[in-house]
Amino acid sequence: GAGVSQSPSNKVTEKGKDVELRCDPISGHTALYWYRQSLGQGLEFLIYFQGNSAPDKSGLPSDRFSAERTGGSVSTLTIQRTQQEDSAVYLCASSPGQYNEQFFGPGTRLTVL
Amino acid sequence: KQEVTQIPAALSVPEGENLVLNCSFTDSAIYNLQWFRQDPGKGLTSLLLIQSSQREQTSGRLNASLDKSSGRSTLYIAASQPGDSATYLCAVKSISGQNFVFGPGTRLSVLP
């Protein structure tokens, strides 16, 4: 079956612009995670959804970052007033439940000029 | 707060060798531990998931073990091949937290 998909695969934007990143999880997966991977760095947890609710937003680096999930499926990560330090690969993962195996999408590479 | 480390940071071996990658975590109260590989410029591919009640999991040439009490997991790769070259990451799901905590990874190069 189809895996986790993310769009766009690449996004180049100017400092100060807003961007939206999309994640389509595997059908039926209730848990959804967003991570960030900066160049040469490990994975940084951003936010976790169980269904449509986000019990853990602890990883969001600032109030410029927000995320939502509708219908227990697609999720959108929004970064407002982008800064150069936001440049990274943003990865999404989904899982049948919060205690199950995670499956990752290919990521969105964000470059802020 | 859960912290995950991986040793070595990088490893280079000739083709055909057996090798072991190490993952350590500070809080032994975990639900499970997952091993991934990441190829350059790509997302993560799941390799093995070990539940806290399990001691090991096997998939093909890969074997992962878990010693929860000592906070350690190892990934054993038998008869390594150049196609195994990638960064290997472990991630731990703690009982106290909602998210997985990742280690920094081990960059493996298998030379033909």
Side-chain angles (χ1 to χ4, degrees):
Chain A
V4 178
S5 62
Q6 293 185 246
S7 61
S9 56
N10 282 284
K11 176 71 176 179
V12 180
T13 190
E14 294 179 348
K15 177 181 173 181
K17 301 283 190 183
D18 298 350
V19 296
E20 283 190 354
L21 311 180
R22 177 187 169 107
C23 172
D24 280 273
I26 294 172
S27 178
H29 281 195
T30 60
L32 187 147
Y33 303 81
W34 282 98
Y35 298 90
R36 178 169 72 174
Q37 189 173 37
S38 301
L39 187 63
Q41 302 297 312
L43 265 75
E44 175 188 5
F45 167 77
L46 297 178
I47 189 169
Y48 155 67
F49 287 93
Q50 181 61 41
N52 288 337
S53 64
D56 191 349
K57 303 180 182 179
S58 62
L60 294 178
S62 77
D63 58 7
R64 296 185 295 105
F65 287 72
S66 63
E68 64 176 16
R69 188 180 186 193
T70 56
S73 181
V74 172
S75 176
T76 302
L77 177 69
T78 301
I79 308 173
Q80 296 178 310
R81 305 181 302 281
T82 52
Q83 303 295 313
Q84 289 184 330
E85 60 263 29
D86 299 334
S87 296
V89 176
Y90 290 81
L91 292 161
C92 172
S94 72
S95 175
Q98 64 173 311
Y99 307 121
N100 299 101
E101 185 176 6
Q102 291 184 95
F103 297 89
F104 277 78
T108 293
R109 182 176 299 277
L110 174 65
T111 302
V112 182
L113 301 177
Chain B
K1 177 185 173 184
Q2 180 73 269
E3 293 182 2
V4 181
T5 56
Q6 292 187 246
I7 294 173
L11 180 64
S12 184
V13 300
E15 181 176 6
E17 276 205 3
N18 303 324
L19 58 99
V20 174
L21 308 181
N22 298 288
C23 172
S24 298
F25 46 95
T26 55
D27 182 358
S28 62
I30 66 170
Y31 283 116
N32 55 49
L33 183 147
Q34 193 169 358
W35 282 95
F36 298 86
R37 68 173 281 168
Q38 186 175 30
D39 295 281
K42 305 289 186 182
L44 277 68
T45 301
S46 177
L47 298 174
L48 291 163
L49 174 73
I50 310 179
Q51 301 293 349
S52 62
S53 59
Q54 297 175 318
R55 298 285 296 188
E56 65 180 296
Q57 282 281 2
T58 298
S59 175
R61 294 182 294 108
L62 305 179
N63 176 277
S65 67
L66 175 64
D67 184 344
K68 195 175 61 170
S69 61
S70 66
R72 297 175 64 181
S73 176
T74 61
L75 179 67
Y76 176 83
I77 303 177
S80 58
Q81 303 171 358
D84 295 331
S85 298
T87 296
Y88 290 80
L89 297 142
C90 67
V92 174
K93 178 80 165 182
S94 297
I95 290 174
S96 62
Q98 301 278 6
N99 59 297
F100 282 83
V101 178
F102 279 79
T106 294
R107 183 179 300 174
L108 173 66
S109 296
V110 181
L111 306 174

mmCIF file of all heavy atoms in Angstrom, chain A residues 75-98:
data_model
loop_
_atom_site.group_PDB
_atom_site.id
_atom_site.type_symbol
_atom_site.label_atom_id
_atom_site.label_comp_id
_atom_site.label_asym_id
_atom_site.label_seq_id
_atom_site.Cartn_x
_atom_site.Cartn_y
_atom_site.Cartn_z
ATOM 1 N N SER A 75 -1.999 16.215 7.799
ATOM 2 C CA SER A 75 -1.505 17.219 8.743
ATOM 3 C C SER A 75 -0.755 18.305 7.982
ATOM 4 O O SER A 75 -0.097 18.031 6.972
ATOM 5 C CB SER A 75 -0.594 16.572 9.777
ATOM 6 O OG SER A 75 -0.041 17.547 10.647
ATOM 7 N N THR A 76 -0.862 19.514 8.495
ATOM 8 C CA THR A 76 -0.138 20.648 7.924
ATOM 9 C C THR A 76 0.701 21.304 9.001
ATOM 10 O O THR A 76 0.201 21.599 10.089
ATOM 11 C CB THR A 76 -1.117 21.690 7.347
ATOM 12 O OG1 THR A 76 -1.944 21.076 6.362
ATOM 13 C CG2 THR A 76 -0.351 22.842 6.716
ATOM 14 N N LEU A 77 1.974 21.502 8.700
ATOM 15 C CA LEU A 77 2.885 22.237 9.581
ATOM 16 C C LEU A 77 3.086 23.616 8.958
ATOM 17 O O LEU A 77 3.484 23.718 7.798
ATOM 18 C CB LEU A 77 4.219 21.504 9.708
ATOM 19 C CG LEU A 77 5.310 22.187 10.539
ATOM 20 C CD1 LEU A 77 4.927 22.209 12.019
ATOM 21 C CD2 LEU A 77 6.649 21.476 10.367
ATOM 22 N N THR A 78 2.781 24.652 9.718
ATOM 23 C CA THR A 78 2.903 26.016 9.222
ATOM 24 C C THR A 78 4.003 26.750 9.972
ATOM 25 O O THR A 78 4.073 26.690 11.204
ATOM 26 C CB THR A 78 1.574 26.777 9.399
ATOM 27 O OG1 THR A 78 0.540 26.088 8.679
ATOM 28 C CG2 THR A 78 1.695 28.204 8.859
ATOM 29 N N ILE A 79 4.864 27.396 9.211
ATOM 30 C CA ILE A 79 5.905 28.236 9.805
ATOM 31 C C ILE A 79 5.649 29.663 9.336
ATOM 32 O O ILE A 79 5.663 29.946 8.132
ATOM 33 C CB ILE A 79 7.313 27.790 9.389
ATOM 34 C CG1 ILE A 79 7.507 26.290 9.642
ATOM 35 C CG2 ILE A 79 8.367 28.591 10.159
ATOM 36 C CD1 ILE A 79 8.821 25.741 9.103
ATOM 37 N N GLN A 80 5.411 30.544 10.284
ATOM 38 C CA GLN A 80 5.158 31.946 9.952
ATOM 39 C C GLN A 80 6.455 32.743 10.051
ATOM 40 O O GLN A 80 7.342 32.436 10.857
ATOM 41 C CB GLN A 80 4.125 32.526 10.914
ATOM 42 C CG GLN A 80 2.754 31.878 10.804
ATOM 43 C CD GLN A 80 1.772 32.446 11.807
ATOM 44 O OE1 GLN A 80 2.070 32.535 12.995
ATOM 45 N NE2 GLN A 80 0.613 32.844 11.330
ATOM 46 N N ARG A 81 6.540 33.762 9.204
ATOM 47 C CA ARG A 81 7.690 34.697 9.260
ATOM 48 C C ARG A 81 8.998 33.907 9.323
ATOM 49 O O ARG A 81 9.793 34.040 10.258
ATOM 50 C CB ARG A 81 7.555 35.628 10.459
ATOM 51 C CG ARG A 81 6.231 36.389 10.503
ATOM 52 C CD ARG A 81 6.145 37.321 11.706
ATOM 53 N NE ARG A 81 6.305 36.631 12.970
ATOM 54 C CZ ARG A 81 5.365 35.937 13.581
ATOM 55 N NH1 ARG A 81 4.171 35.809 13.025
ATOM 56 N NH2 ARG A 81 5.604 35.346 14.757
ATOM 57 N N THR A 82 9.227 33.096 8.302
ATOM 58 C CA THR A 82 10.374 32.191 8.314
ATOM 59 C C THR A 82 11.689 32.933 8.515
ATOM 60 O O THR A 82 11.876 34.069 8.055
ATOM 61 C CB THR A 82 10.453 31.387 7.003
ATOM 62 O OG1 THR A 82 10.391 32.295 5.901
ATOM 63 C CG2 THR A 82 9.332 30.383 6.916
ATOM 64 N N GLN A 83 12.593 32.248 9.191
ATOM 65 C CA GLN A 83 13.939 32.740 9.448
ATOM 66 C C GLN A 83 14.932 31.766 8.818
ATOM 67 O O GLN A 83 14.603 30.608 8.560
ATOM 68 C CB GLN A 83 14.196 32.824 10.960
ATOM 69 C CG GLN A 83 13.200 33.685 11.714
ATOM 70 C CD GLN A 83 13.287 35.149 11.317
ATOM 71 O OE1 GLN A 83 14.391 35.711 11.243
ATOM 72 N NE2 GLN A 83 12.147 35.771 11.060
ATOM 73 N N GLN A 84 16.157 32.232 8.603
ATOM 74 C CA GLN A 84 17.162 31.374 7.978
ATOM 75 C C GLN A 84 17.439 30.124 8.808
ATOM 76 O O GLN A 84 17.713 29.055 8.243
ATOM 77 C CB GLN A 84 18.445 32.158 7.723
ATOM 78 C CG GLN A 84 18.308 33.182 6.604
ATOM 79 C CD GLN A 84 19.593 33.895 6.286
ATOM 80 O OE1 GLN A 84 20.439 34.073 7.165
ATOM 81 N NE2 GLN A 84 19.734 34.345 5.045
ATOM 82 N N GLU A 85 17.334 30.239 10.124
ATOM 83 C CA GLU A 85 17.597 29.069 10.966
ATOM 84 C C GLU A 85 16.495 28.016 10.872
ATOM 85 O O GLU A 85 16.648 26.913 11.425
ATOM 86 C CB GLU A 85 17.787 29.476 12.430
ATOM 87 C CG GLU A 85 16.595 30.172 13.057
ATOM 88 C CD GLU A 85 16.727 31.683 13.049
ATOM 89 O OE1 GLU A 85 17.392 32.211 12.144
ATOM 90 O OE2 GLU A 85 16.149 32.313 13.943
ATOM 91 N N ASP A 86 15.397 28.346 10.172
ATOM 92 C CA ASP A 86 14.351 27.350 9.958
ATOM 93 C C ASP A 86 14.709 26.390 8.825
ATOM 94 O O ASP A 86 14.021 25.379 8.620
ATOM 95 C CB ASP A 86 13.012 28.022 9.624
ATOM 96 C CG ASP A 86 12.507 28.934 10.732
ATOM 97 O OD1 ASP A 86 12.871 28.694 11.908
ATOM 98 O OD2 ASP A 86 11.760 29.876 10.430
ATOM 99 N N SER A 87 15.748 26.708 8.077
ATOM 100 C CA SER A 87 16.164 25.849 6.975
ATOM 101 C C SER A 87 16.540 24.469 7.515
ATOM 102 O O SER A 87 17.391 24.352 8.410
ATOM 103 C CB SER A 87 17.356 26.445 6.237
ATOM 104 O OG SER A 87 16.997 27.673 5.620
ATOM 105 N N ALA A 88 15.912 23.444 6.981
ATOM 106 C CA ALA A 88 16.115 22.076 7.459
ATOM 107 C C ALA A 88 15.269 21.145 6.594
ATOM 108 O O ALA A 88 14.514 21.587 5.729
ATOM 109 C CB ALA A 88 15.693 21.944 8.924
ATOM 110 N N VAL A 89 15.399 19.853 6.861
ATOM 111 C CA VAL A 89 14.483 18.870 6.292
ATOM 112 C C VAL A 89 13.424 18.568 7.338
ATOM 113 O O VAL A 89 13.758 18.236 8.485
ATOM 114 C CB VAL A 89 15.221 17.583 5.880
ATOM 115 C CG1 VAL A 89 14.221 16.539 5.386
ATOM 116 C CG2 VAL A 89 16.250 17.881 4.799
ATOM 117 N N TYR A 90 12.179 18.702 6.954
ATOM 118 C CA TYR A 90 11.064 18.439 7.857
ATOM 119 C C TYR A 90 10.482 17.069 7.510
ATOM 120 O O TYR A 90 10.041 16.832 6.388
ATOM 121 C CB TYR A 90 10.019 19.546 7.766
ATOM 122 C CG TYR A 90 10.530 20.828 8.365
ATOM 123 C CD1 TYR A 90 11.371 21.670 7.645
ATOM 124 C CD2 TYR A 90 10.219 21.177 9.683
ATOM 125 C CE1 TYR A 90 11.892 22.825 8.217
ATOM 126 C CE2 TYR A 90 10.725 22.323 10.261
ATOM 127 C CZ TYR A 90 11.564 23.139 9.525
ATOM 128 O OH TYR A 90 12.074 24.279 10.094
ATOM 129 N N LEU A 91 10.510 16.178 8.488
ATOM 130 C CA LEU A 91 10.089 14.789 8.291
ATOM 131 C C LEU A 91 8.804 14.514 9.053
ATOM 132 O O LEU A 91 8.620 14.974 10.180
ATOM 133 C CB LEU A 91 11.182 13.840 8.771
ATOM 134 C CG LEU A 91 12.474 13.827 7.951
ATOM 135 C CD1 LEU A 91 13.609 13.228 8.743
ATOM 136 C CD2 LEU A 91 12.270 13.055 6.660
ATOM 137 N N CYS A 92 7.952 13.745 8.430
ATOM 138 C CA CYS A 92 6.699 13.326 9.041
ATOM 139 C C CYS A 92 6.710 11.808 9.154
ATOM 140 O O CYS A 92 7.266 11.120 8.285
ATOM 141 C CB CYS A 92 5.535 13.789 8.165
ATOM 142 S SG CYS A 92 3.917 13.163 8.628
ATOM 143 N N ALA A 93 6.144 11.288 10.214
ATOM 144 C CA ALA A 93 6.019 9.846 10.397
ATOM 145 C C ALA A 93 4.623 9.535 10.900
ATOM 146 O O ALA A 93 4.010 10.338 11.598
ATOM 147 C CB ALA A 93 7.064 9.328 11.392
ATOM 148 N N SER A 94 4.133 8.349 10.544
ATOM 149 C CA SER A 94 2.854 7.913 11.087
ATOM 150 C C SER A 94 2.992 6.510 11.656
ATOM 151 O O SER A 94 3.948 5.786 11.359
ATOM 152 C CB SER A 94 1.742 7.961 10.028
ATOM 153 O OG SER A 94 1.876 6.938 9.060
ATOM 154 N N SER A 95 2.016 6.148 12.485
ATOM 155 C CA SER A 95 2.069 4.886 13.190
ATOM 156 C C SER A 95 0.644 4.437 13.481
ATOM 157 O O SER A 95 -0.235 5.269 13.694
ATOM 158 C CB SER A 95 2.848 5.088 14.495
ATOM 159 O OG SER A 95 2.840 3.935 15.278
ATOM 160 N N PRO A 96 0.397 3.108 13.498
ATOM 161 C CA PRO A 96 -0.953 2.621 13.807
ATOM 162 C C PRO A 96 -1.450 3.072 15.177
ATOM 163 O O PRO A 96 -2.646 3.198 15.397
ATOM 164 C CB PRO A 96 -0.810 1.105 13.746
ATOM 165 C CG PRO A 96 0.377 0.860 12.891
ATOM 166 C CD PRO A 96 1.306 1.995 13.153
ATOM 167 N N GLY A 97 -0.526 3.293 16.088
ATOM 168 C CA GLY A 97 -0.841 3.761 17.426
ATOM 169 C C GLY A 97 0.433 4.281 18.037
ATOM 170 O O GLY A 97 1.520 4.104 17.494
ATOM 171 N N GLN A 98 0.336 4.922 19.193
ATOM 172 C CA GLN A 98 1.523 5.585 19.732
ATOM 173 C C GLN A 98 2.572 4.607 20.219
ATOM 174 O O GLN A 98 3.707 5.013 20.478
ATOM 175 C CB GLN A 98 1.125 6.536 20.859
ATOM 176 C CG GLN A 98 0.534 5.870 22.073
ATOM 177 C CD GLN A 98 0.330 6.863 23.211
ATOM 178 O OE1 GLN A 98 1.242 7.615 23.535
ATOM 179 N NE2 GLN A 98 -0.850 6.882 23.789
#
